[in-house]
């Protein structure tokens, strides 16, 4: 009985030994053994001869390991310090706390190019699922998500064309609802004040404009925006800019609660009565909106639940129970408070 030749130094022959014996690369050997139809007949015979001579036997455990996915959820958000996304991430962590899955976080810093870079890092690691903020990926990022080979859940938005699954709400509808509330309360020269005008804020602005145009109230001088990082201090400065352009301003829809709080502080400094002279409404309804004086009306978004629902959808797909509802709209709530109670 012919015994297989032992590799030098002892131990089982490896795929590298076969490659050296056959005079080809290890990748070519792997391809010939797993997908014989992808190599020529002559090359297949050459590799098989080396396999037979060395007595090489493929390791099924190694093969299974190569095809397995990591027990990792990749999560990409534009900020780790913004309270809005911190709540989404908290929902994700809480939902996976009793599972075997770990979380790998990536901060895109509101940059499409950084999102591309992170996806190029995450995707080759074969995550169990990817959760990504937003729907405005670059063509390369979308391609990376489409070919990731795992469940993909985009969050904080709704839309007709998700990569895989989507859970969030309509920023356009939220902006329109906020503006319609100010109109309903009797405000007419309603400004939009916004910072870091990412695509979500742009959709809120579009909702504001739609409501103002429908009421015959829109004037481009009412819009004050900046690409600068949002902050309470910046909100104070932007209100001053808005009043310089439109001294008769009597209402303000702010693209987030930081800006709304800054607007409120500037009204206090300038002895502008809220809500009598100017009404203020924010977006997201962070805790400080209720604690402010007067308390500030805001659009409440269900950020924690979005994180939890994203995980539930991904886990269902991992378990082979593909969710029938691919786009989940969790909506929003208008929380009426003193700042618009004219």
């Amino acid at each position: 009985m012919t015994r297989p030749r032992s590799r030098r130094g002892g131990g089982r022959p490896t795929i590298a030994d076969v490659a050296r014996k056959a005079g080809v690369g290890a990748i070519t050997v792997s391809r010939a053994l797993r997908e014989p139809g992808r190599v020529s007949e002559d090359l297949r015979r050459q590799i098989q001869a080396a396999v037979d001579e060395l007595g090489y036997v493929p390791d099924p455990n190694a093969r299974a390991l190569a095809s397995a996915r990591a027990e990792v959820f990749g999560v990409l958000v534009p900020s780790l310090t913004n309270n809005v996304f911190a709540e989404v991430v908290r929902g994700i962590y809480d939902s996976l706390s009793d599972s075997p899955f770990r979380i790998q976080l990536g901060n895109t810093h509101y940059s499409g190019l950084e999102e591309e870079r992170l996806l190029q890092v995450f995707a080759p690691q074969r995550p169990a699922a990817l959760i990504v903020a937003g729907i405005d990926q670059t063509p390369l990022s979308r391609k990376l998500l489409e070919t990731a080979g795992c469940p993909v859940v985009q969050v904080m938005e709704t839309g007709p064309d998700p990569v895989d699954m989507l859970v969030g709400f309509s920023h356009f509808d939220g902006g329109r609802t906020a503006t319609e509330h100010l109109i309903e309360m009797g405000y007419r020269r309603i400004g939009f004040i916004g910072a870091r005008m990412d695509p979500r804020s742009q959709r809120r602005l579009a909702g504001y404009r739609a409501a103002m145009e429908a009421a015959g109230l829109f004037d481009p001088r009412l819009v004050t925006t900046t690409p600068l990082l949002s902050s309470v201090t910046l909100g104070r400065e932007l209100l001053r800019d808005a009043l310089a352009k439109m001294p008769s301003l009597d209402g303000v829809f702010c693209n987030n609660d930081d800006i709304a709080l800054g607007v409120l502080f500037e009204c206090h400094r300038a002895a502008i009565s809220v809500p009598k002279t100017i009404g203020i409404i924010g977006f997201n309804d962070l805790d400080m909106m209720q604690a402010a004086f007067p308390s500030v009306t805001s659009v409440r978004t269900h950020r924690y639940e979005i994180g939890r629902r994203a995980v539930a959808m991904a886990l269902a797909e991992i378990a082979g129970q593909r969710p029938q509802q691919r786009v989940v709209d969790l909506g929003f709530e208008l929380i009426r408070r003193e700042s618009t109670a004219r």
Side-chain angles (χ1 to χ4, degrees):
M1 179 176 179
T2 303
R3 293 185 178 182
R5 185 178 301 174
S6 298
R7 58 184 295 227
R8 188 165 54 193
R12 293 179 58 176
T14 68
I15 199 168
D17 296 327
V18 175
R20 279 192 295 269
K21 187 69 177 177
V24 298
I27 293 176
T28 302
V29 173
S30 178
R31 183 182 301 120
L33 295 177
R34 297 202 305 178
E35 301 175 87
R38 294 186 62 187
V39 299
S40 69
E41 180 67 27
D42 288 344
L43 185 55
R44 191 161 62 247
R45 287 200 190 99
Q46 180 181 336
I47 291 170
Q48 189 60 49
V51 167
D52 293 342
E53 182 174 347
L54 293 173
Y56 171 74
V57 178
D59 184 349
N61 292 327
R63 185 172 294 179
L65 183 62
S67 64
R69 290 205 162 268
E71 292 186 334
V72 171
F73 272 51
V75 179
L76 295 182
V77 293
S79 172
L80 297 177
T81 56
N82 185 318
N83 287 333
V84 172
F85 293 103
E87 281 292 289
V88 176
V89 171
R90 186 170 70 87
I92 294 169
Y93 268 96
D94 286 355
S95 297
L96 290 173
S97 60
D98 294 327
S99 79
F101 296 101
R102 294 169 288 114
I103 295 171
Q104 184 175 17
L105 273 178
N107 184 352
T108 68
H109 299 284
Y110 294 91
S111 166
L113 293 178
E114 179 64 8
E115 184 174 62
E116 288 179 2
R117 189 189 72 80
L118 288 170
L119 285 172
Q120 288 170 327
V121 172
F122 281 25
Q125 298 177 24
R126 300 176 61 80
L130 287 168
I131 298 176
V132 184
I135 57 175
D136 297 281
Q137 281 76 31
T138 65
L140 175 57
S141 287
R142 186 172 179 98
K143 185 68 174 177
L144 289 166
L145 291 170
E146 289 172 343
T147 58
C150 67
V152 175
V153 188
Q154 293 161 284
V155 297
M156 295 297 285
E157 300 266 9
T158 57
D161 187 29
V163 170
D164 183 10
M165 296 174 284
L166 181 60
V167 55
F169 60 93
S170 169
H171 292 263
F172 177 90
D173 288 349
R176 181 172 57 188
T177 297
T179 308
E180 287 173 346
H181 169 66
L182 287 167
I183 295 170
E184 176 190 332
M185 299 306 292
Y187 300 99
R188 290 296 177 266
R189 291 171 296 282
I190 302 165
F192 177 93
I193 294 182
R196 194 191 276 281
M197 295 297 293
D198 64 18
R200 286 169 289 277
S201 288
Q202 293 288 353
R203 285 187 264 279
R204 295 170 202 170
L205 172 57
Y208 155 85
R209 179 165 183 162
M212 292 291 283
E213 288 180 341
L217 299 174
F218 182 73
D219 183 329
R221 293 175 298 169
L222 290 166
V223 177
T224 304
T225 64
T226 176
L228 296 176
L229 178 66
S230 181
S231 70
V232 175
T233 300
L234 184 58
R236 295 184 61 177
E237 297 170 2
L238 291 175
L239 178 62
R240 289 196 290 267
D241 293 344
L243 288 170
K245 292 190 298 179
M246 183 70 71
S248 59
L249 190 75
D250 70 351
V252 178
F253 168 41
C254 303
N255 78 317
N256 62 50
D257 290 339
D258 288 345
I259 296 297
L261 195 60
V263 167
L264 177 64
F265 287 168
E266 182 59 21
C267 285
H268 289 334
R269 187 202 65 80
I272 299 173
S273 175
V274 177
K276 182 177 179 181
T277 305
I278 287 183
I280 304 170
I281 184 167
F283 202 97
N284 283 312
D285 196 37
L286 303 181
D287 287 345
M288 58 190 177
M289 295 294 96
Q290 184 173 1
F293 181 78
S295 58
V296 180
T297 299
S298 190
V299 176
R300 177 175 294 170
T301 56
H302 306 293
R303 305 172 300 279
Y304 179 78
E305 180 58 27
I306 286 171
R308 292 186 65 88
R309 186 66 67 89
V311 169
M313 294 169 76
L315 289 175
E317 187 156 319
I318 290 170
Q321 300 168 354
R322 188 172 177 85
Q324 292 184 349
Q325 190 175 0
R326 312 297 292 169
V327 178
V328 176
D329 185 350
L330 292 181
F332 53 82
E333 296 176 66
L334 177 67
I335 307 300
R336 301 169 182 244
R337 296 196 180 97
E338 296 167 333
S339 68
T340 56
R342 200 174 203 178

